[in-house]
Amino acid sequence: QVQLVESGGGSVQAGGSLRLSCAASGYTFSRRCAGWFRQAPGKERELVANIWTGASTSSTSYADSVKGRFTISQDSAKNTIALQMNSLKPEDTAMYYCAAALASACYGGIAYKFWGQGTQVTVSS
């Protein structure tokens, strides 16, 4: 049974930083696509960033709204992915979800099969 458990959410003032982490059991992030989504009240869920990591290379992509501020990473030894969020803005306030796919590459329209319960990020102005 696959479980994804997020941690690291919280409240921060605008301009601050948070680091989200997602630990997996029953699933290996290496050589698969995984990412972070977010959903704010009244808004659709959106993909924030995704990552694919191979033996000696990796590929990442980001939503335009977070480029230059957020960084997604993977730790194969710990089997975790993380989202470092800097220069946070009030519009980043949302529930953040870790998601993982079975596909061996990240591409548009990919189906994320496994989801975490989410961690709340609140940014005050």
Side-chain angles (χ1 to χ4, degrees):
Q1 184 176 357
V2 175
Q3 280 193 317
L4 302 177
V5 179
E6 303 101 333
S7 61
S11 297
V12 66
Q13 289 192 328
S17 298
L18 284 173
R19 183 177 178 85
L20 306 183
S21 184
C22 175
S25 58
Y27 176 91
T28 302
F29 286 116
S30 181
R31 295 183 173 83
R32 288 177 173 158
C33 184
W36 290 92
F37 287 76
R38 67 185 181 186
Q39 187 166 22
K43 294 188 177 181
E44 292 188 355
R45 185 176 61 194
E46 64 170 340
L47 175 64
V48 176
N50 64 17
I51 184 168
W52 177 90
T53 301
S56 58
T57 186
S58 64
S59 174
T60 59
S61 66
Y62 297 91
D64 288 343
S65 58
V66 306
K67 281 182 181 177
R69 299 188 297 123
F70 290 11
T71 303
I72 189 171
S73 61
Q74 184 202 95
D75 186 327
S76 296
K78 295 181 180 179
N79 199 29
T80 58
I81 62 170
L83 185 68
Q84 178 66 42
M85 306 185 293
N86 298 328
S87 301
L88 282 161
K89 303 176 181 179
E91 51 263 43
D92 294 318
T93 295
M95 185 70 78
Y96 283 70
Y97 298 91
C98 173
L102 293 177
S104 58
C106 292
Y107 53 87
I110 188 173
Y112 290 85
K113 185 174 177 64
F114 307 109
W115 294 82
Q117 293 299 307
T119 185
Q120 178 67 38
V121 171
T122 302
V123 185
S124 58
S125 58

